[in-house]
Amino acid sequence: MPNNFASGKFAIAECDRCGFQYKLSELKGLVIKTKNVNILVCPTCWEPDQPQLQLGMYPVNDPQAIRNPRPDTSYNSSGTSGLQLTLGDVGYPDGGSRIFQWGWYPVGGAAANDEGLTPNYLTSVGRVGTVMFNVAAWSATTSYAPNDSVSYSGGFYLAIKASINHVPTDITYWAVN
């Protein structure tokens, strides 16, 4: 039985997106949300079906509750809200599964209106190094003062002594930053 359509072996078609001409056999069909939308595009304009558009199309079972839960007995709260905790009292978080401090200002402790209620025993330890902006490249003819910063051979350096024509790799005058 003969086919009702020509082979289209040498047929020229236009990309439905960009309008450039291509061989009809080079154009690919677009699929949007798992549906063929009968749009033929060139290899440059073609994109695979976006999986995020398929959200909600398939049922998802993601339960949050567990069967036969047991209460956490490793932490006893004092009072009814759990805020009435002081060092040495029952319920002070010195062990168990809830060793954390909480409140409106979690780092540093309580606000002025609940200072007696929320414990404040967090301690932050750290060091802030030198921050450099708009670092210029090192030059042999420039006079550098302490705390001047330069870039040299892919690294950044901070002057620790005044200098002229001392390369940043000279640790007597420069520190790596």
Side-chain angles (χ1 to χ4, degrees), residues 138-144 164-165:
W138 176 80
S139 171
T141 58
T142 304
S143 175
Y144 294 103
I164 297 176
N165 199 18

Side-chain angles (χ1 to χ4, degrees), residues 141-160:
T141 58
T142 304
S143 175
Y144 294 103
N147 294 324
D148 284 347
S149 56
V150 296
S151 65
Y152 180 75
S153 294
F156 297 99
Y157 298 87
L158 186 69
I160 54 177

Side-chain angles (χ1 to χ4, degrees), residues 88-104:
D89 282 356
V90 173
Y92 189 77
D94 56 356
S97 63
R98 298 184 192 176
I99 304 173
F100 62 90
Q101 184 177 7
W102 56 281
W104 294 109

Side-chain angles (χ1 to χ4, degrees), residues 8-80:
K9 191 167 152 181
F10 300 107
I12 293 178
E14 200 174 272
C15 173
D16 289 336
R17 188 172 278 171
C18 68
F20 288 115
Q21 288 185 353
Y22 289 89
K23 281 182 151 184
L24 180 61
S25 60
E26 289 181 18
L27 298 179
K28 297 172 84 173
L30 274 183
V31 176
I32 299 175
K33 291 180 88 172
T34 69
K35 305 282 189 263
N36 188 353
V37 291
N38 200 22
I39 296 174
L40 294 177
V41 293
C42 64
T44 306
C45 294
W46 184 83
E47 57 193 24
D49 191 14
Q50 177 54 260
Q52 289 180 340
L53 294 176
Q54 298 174 16
L55 294 176
M57 292 178 68
Y58 305 102
V60 175
N61 187 11
D62 186 17
Q64 301 298 312
I66 60 171
R67 187 185 317 265
N68 298 324
R70 296 292 179 254
D72 184 4
T73 59
S74 65
Y75 182 81
N76 299 319
S77 64
S78 175
T80 57

Side-chain angles (χ1 to χ4, degrees), residues 93-123:
D94 56 356
S97 63
R98 298 184 192 176
I99 304 173
F100 62 90
Q101 184 177 7
W102 56 281
W104 294 109
Y105 301 108
V107 176
N113 60 349
D114 66 347
E115 192 168 335
L117 299 177
T118 305
N120 185 4
Y121 56 87
L122 290 178
T123 304

